[in-house]
């Protein structure tokens, strides 16, 4: 079951990556701004809204199971396995995200509100990379994500400048606060032998072993890929779809 689950996950990521020339613009932060100043709700805005809503049930599983940009970075993950999970690096995406979100709001205000919905905005018959401009953008984004992972480490762009992650992180924080049933990781600290296998397999370079020993698995950077779950021989980590545990004093 464990090996099969990771094969399924990687297969989904490969399919998503192959479809990236078609889907690229549906993940575009620029097209949302451009559309907002024309009063248009674009496909990418709807996709981001969908990520926010689904994260209430599935956290950042989109990043670990579906994201084509994540797939690009995992392709070269073994070339530079260095962890970039540092507070200052993780904070960059929020610093960029806040003014970006403000620009979207400003755009709709200047446009006098929402005038129409255009899911395939700026695409050719729904295909993103269908002309020279699309080819150039596809090449740029591909090099950005591959280069970031090669130069800096595991899913470096996910940690630093991903414009989709803040939506899912905020939704995840809301569902944790409300303690609604959702997909998350749970630990069995007593079963952990601190072998470090989970740390080596974590696609985001998290200190999973320490998270297990502290019984605190709700990292904002966890993408629920399940690599730690499926590599742990002691079953010290598992998926759960129930209410998250309430914080005990040691977590404060």
């Amino acid at each position: 079951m464990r090996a099969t689950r990771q094969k399924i996950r990687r297969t989904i990521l490969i399919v998503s990556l192959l479809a990236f020339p078609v889907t690229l613009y549906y993940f575009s932060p620029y097209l949302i701004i451009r559309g907002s100043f024309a009063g248009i709700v674009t496909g990418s805005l709807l996709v981001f809204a969908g990520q926010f809503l689904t994260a209430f049930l599935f956290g950042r599983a989109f990043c670990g199971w579906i994201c084509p940009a994540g797939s690009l970075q995992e392709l070269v993950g073994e070339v530079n396995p260095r962890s970039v999970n540092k507070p200052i690096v993780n904070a960059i995406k929020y610093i960029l995200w806040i003014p970006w979100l403000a620009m979207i709001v400003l755009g709709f205000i200047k446009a006098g509100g929402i005038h129409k919905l255009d899911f395939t905005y700026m695409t050719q018959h729904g295909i993103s990379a269908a002309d020279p401009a699309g080819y150039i953008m596809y090449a740029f984004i591909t090099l950005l994500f591959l280069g970031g992972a090669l130069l800096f480490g595991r899913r470096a762009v996910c940690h630093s400048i991903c414009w989709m992650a803040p939506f899912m992180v905020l939704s995840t924080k809301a569902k944790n606060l409300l303690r609604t049933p959702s997909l998350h990781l749970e630990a069995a600290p007593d079963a952990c032998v601190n072998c470090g296998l989970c740390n080596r397999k974590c696609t985001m370079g998290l200190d999973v072993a320490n998270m297990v020993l502290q019984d605190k698995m709700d990292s904002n950077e966890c993408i629920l890929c399940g690599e730690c779950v499926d590599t742990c021989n002691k079953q010290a980590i598992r998926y759960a779809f129930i209410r998250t545990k309430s914080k005990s004093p040691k977590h404060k």
Side-chain angles (χ1 to χ4, degrees):
M1 171 61 184
R2 293 182 172 194
T4 300
R5 178 160 51 201
Q6 288 306 315
K7 286 180 181 178
I8 292 171
R9 184 181 79 87
R10 293 187 184 110
T11 299
I12 294 171
L13 285 174
I14 289 170
V15 171
S16 179
L17 179 57
L18 291 174
F20 200 29
V22 176
T23 62
L24 174 64
Y25 285 176
Y26 302 103
F27 303 112
S28 170
Y30 166 71
L31 289 190
I32 296 180
I33 294 177
R34 179 165 176 168
S36 71
F37 278 88
I40 299 172
V41 173
T42 65
S44 48
L45 180 55
L46 293 175
V47 168
F48 290 8
Q51 289 171 341
F52 176 82
L53 294 174
T54 56
F56 204 76
L57 290 177
F58 301 107
R60 286 186 64 182
F62 172 88
C63 306
W65 286 77
I66 301 174
C67 182
S71 179
L72 276 169
Q73 293 176 90
E74 286 197 23
L75 281 176
V76 297
E78 296 301 319
V79 178
N80 185 358
R82 181 172 56 188
S83 173
V84 296
N85 181 42
K86 297 176 176 58
I88 189 169
V89 175
N90 296 334
I92 295 172
K93 56 181 172 285
Y94 301 103
I95 295 171
L96 298 174
W97 185 74
I98 292 172
W100 170 72
L101 194 63
M103 283 292 291
I104 296 170
V105 173
L106 176 63
F108 281 117
I109 291 174
K110 288 184 70 66
I114 297 172
H115 301 310
K116 69 174 183 176
L117 185 154
D118 186 354
F119 189 78
T120 59
Y121 181 68
M122 294 294 293
T123 68
Q124 290 193 22
H125 308 292
I127 299 173
S128 302
D131 56 22
Y135 305 149
I136 292 170
M137 183 57 65
Y138 174 72
F140 172 76
I141 294 297
T142 298
L143 290 173
L144 173 66
F145 281 89
L146 282 178
L150 284 170
L151 290 173
F152 301 107
R154 298 189 212 179
R155 284 200 177 221
V157 180
C158 294
H159 280 289
S160 58
I161 63 172
C162 177
W163 47 88
M164 296 179 283
F167 287 103
M168 290 176 275
V169 171
L170 288 175
S171 182
T172 300
K173 283 186 172 295
K175 63 95 173 172
N176 286 344
L177 182 64
L178 296 172
R179 297 190 60 231
T180 58
S182 60
L183 183 67
H184 59 279
L185 300 182
E186 289 195 348
D190 293 341
C192 178
V193 295
N194 203 19
C195 65
L197 278 174
C198 52
N199 286 5
R200 291 195 289 275
K201 293 296 288 185
C202 178
T203 60
M204 292 292 281
L206 307 183
D207 187 355
V208 183
N210 187 53
M211 292 163 62
V212 171
L213 292 172
Q214 291 188 32
D215 194 12
K216 186 178 181 181
M217 304 299 294
D218 58 345
S219 168
N220 292 336
E221 300 303 308
C222 175
I223 57 174
L224 295 171
C225 65
E227 287 281 3
C228 60
V229 177
D230 295 330
T231 198
C232 181
N233 297 320
K234 302 299 181 181
Q235 298 185 1
I237 315 168
R238 69 183 182 93
Y239 276 124
F241 201 100
I242 55 177
R243 291 181 178 177
T244 54
K245 297 177 181 178
S246 58
K247 299 289 186 182
S248 63
K250 69 179 179 179
H251 295 148
K252 294 182 180 179

